[in-house]
Amino acid sequence: LNGSLMEFLSHEQPDHLHLHDNNGLIDDHYPLGRGSIDLATLFPMLPQKGIRVLEMPQIEWYNESLTYIKEHNLGALKT
């Protein structure tokens, strides 16, 4: 879905999502807030009932993403 995520979410309601950030060129799996994805616009478009999985290679990045979500009020979390 590179380059078409917002369009996809405007038409589809996925039942699960693998979340991470990137630089817009490759699928980097950065922690949320460290890449170029407009997360403030994206998160309200995510299905409320969908499962959200933080997908990144380092546990520190997972923790960084949880902190980012909490600090920016981007939704309720189940950890």
Side-chain angles (χ1 to χ4, degrees):
L1 295 175
N2 292 340
S4 63
L5 178 60
M6 299 303 187
E7 181 181 347
F8 172 76
L9 288 174
S10 71
H11 299 290
E12 300 289 332
Q13 289 293 306
D15 60 2
H16 72 280
L17 301 155
H18 292 237
L19 301 172
H20 58 270
D21 214 334
N22 66 55
N23 66 11
L25 300 174
I26 61 172
D27 200 16
D28 299 301
H29 289 78
Y30 289 150
L32 299 180
R34 211 189 277 187
S36 61
I37 295 175
D38 181 0
L39 297 171
T41 299
L42 173 65
F43 264 74
M45 296 177 73
L46 298 179
Q48 294 301 309
K49 295 182 180 180
I51 296 169
R52 301 173 186 187
V53 176
L54 293 173
E55 184 179 21
M56 48 215 52
Q58 300 175 28
I59 191 69
E60 295 83 11
W61 288 5
Y62 172 84
N63 293 332
E64 184 178 330
S65 294
L66 289 177
T67 299
Y68 184 89
I69 291 169
K70 290 175 188 175
E71 288 177 350
H72 293 87
N73 294 322
L74 294 177
L77 299 171
K78 294 181 182 177
T79 57

